[in-house]
Amino acid sequence: MRSLITLMMQLILCSNLPVSLIPSSLGIETLLSEDFSEGLELNWRLFGDPTPMLCDTMGLPPPSFDNNGDELYNNGAVSRKKWDCSEGLTLECDMFVTSNERGAWISGMLGFDYSSDDQGIEGANPADIYLAYSYCGEADWATPHMQGRLNAVFTNPDGSKDNEYYIHLNDFLDSWHRFRIVIESDMTVSFYVDSILFHSTELSLPPEACSLNVVLGLRSNEWGRVFHDNLILLKP
């Protein structure tokens, strides 16, 4: 695991760049480009109660995707379409997470899911492959010490898992950051924040799990909100 100090120094070097100017992964073909200006119904199936909504006051530029969740269950959206990742894929979007100091159960997530067309519709599980930023303040009686948490998770169909996380990472609050997941040509997965590599997996995705939905969401409530914008899916 790289040191938290090293990660923070790298992030500070990029923190003065507008998100739109931070270099992005190059891809030959754009499979999906979503700024949420056309609403949510065309590309997404929504889950949770209440369901996600558009926010007309937040975004780069507005509107943005507000997962509009509650503290008990996941809320979000699953893409209506699946994409083949056998030659690699890059998924990225801007994310904004805000919370007051005591807040809890606030999480923004970008991910892929291979399990089934209905995965996540009941709000029970996050995606199989995801990059998430969460905040757990003192209102979270179980893990109040975590505060800001950056988490990268890759779960294989056989149940094996590769994950990495940092806690006490509060500098991501109240500002936009670019989250990126890259499925490499060898089917390993790399996770980036603001173009800085956060984690690369040793596990690889098997051929039978190469048809993927995109998933957005997780948690938000009266303690804080989570917004997504400018999502893009690229095929190299």
Side-chain angles (χ1 to χ4, degrees):
M1 179 187 295
R2 291 178 300 142
S3 73
L4 178 58
I5 293 176
T6 299
L7 177 67
M8 290 303 298
M9 288 179 67
Q10 292 175 318
L11 292 173
I12 288 170
L13 290 174
C14 284
S15 63
N16 292 325
L17 287 173
V19 175
S20 60
L21 296 183
I22 294 174
S24 176
S25 295
L26 296 178
I28 296 173
E29 183 181 358
T30 299
L31 302 177
L32 175 65
S33 181
E34 175 67 273
D35 64 3
F36 304 104
S37 60
E38 300 298 323
L40 297 174
E41 296 303 321
L42 179 63
N43 293 320
W44 307 97
R45 294 177 296 135
L46 308 180
F47 63 89
D49 183 14
T51 56
M53 63 182 185
L54 294 179
C55 177
D56 293 329
T57 59
M58 291 291 294
L60 292 173
S64 62
F65 176 92
D66 178 355
N67 66 309
N68 191 34
D70 66 37
E71 64 268 23
L72 297 178
Y73 300 99
N74 294 334
N75 297 57
V78 178
S79 65
R80 294 187 179 276
K81 185 175 180 179
K82 282 178 172 282
W83 289 273
D84 175 70
C85 70
S86 58
E87 297 179 2
L89 287 176
T90 294
L91 174 66
E92 54 185 82
C93 81
D94 299 317
M95 192 185 306
F96 187 104
V97 177
T98 184
S99 174
N100 67 40
E101 189 174 344
R102 296 191 65 246
W105 310 293
I106 301 156
S107 302
M109 179 195 72
L110 174 70
F112 287 113
D113 195 279
Y114 55 74
S115 298
S116 74
D117 287 338
D118 294 327
Q119 171 69 21
I121 292 299
E122 298 301 324
N125 298 299
D128 298 306
I129 302 167
Y130 69 88
L131 181 59
Y133 180 66
S134 308
Y135 188 80
C136 298
E138 64 179 274
D140 185 344
W141 55 269
T143 56
H145 62 286
M146 286 189 179
Q147 299 180 12
R149 171 174 169 147
L150 183 64
N151 197 23
V153 176
F154 172 34
T155 304
N156 248 334
D158 63 4
S160 57
K161 183 174 290 190
D162 189 329
N163 68 290
E164 178 71 285
Y165 69 90
Y166 287 117
I167 60 175
H168 305 301
L169 198 59
N170 296 339
D171 285 4
F172 283 163
L173 287 171
D174 302 315
S175 56
W176 288 98
H177 295 275
R178 190 74 174 169
F179 288 69
R180 184 192 308 156
I181 301 171
V182 179
I183 299 178
E184 308 286 1
S185 58
D186 62 357
M187 295 295 100
T188 59
V189 183
S190 300
F191 302 87
Y192 297 81
V193 182
D194 296 337
S195 293
I196 296 167
L197 180 63
F198 170 53
H199 180 59
S200 291
T201 66
E202 296 183 1
L203 295 177
S204 59
L205 200 62
E208 65 269 21
C210 282
S211 181
L212 302 175
N213 290 100
V214 173
V215 186
L216 301 174
L218 276 188
R219 304 280 183 89
S220 62
N221 52 70
E222 66 272 14
W223 297 105
R225 310 299 296 180
V226 177
F227 306 97
H228 297 74
D229 204 1
N230 302 317
L231 179 144
I232 191 166
L233 180 65
L234 303 172
K235 180 180 178 180

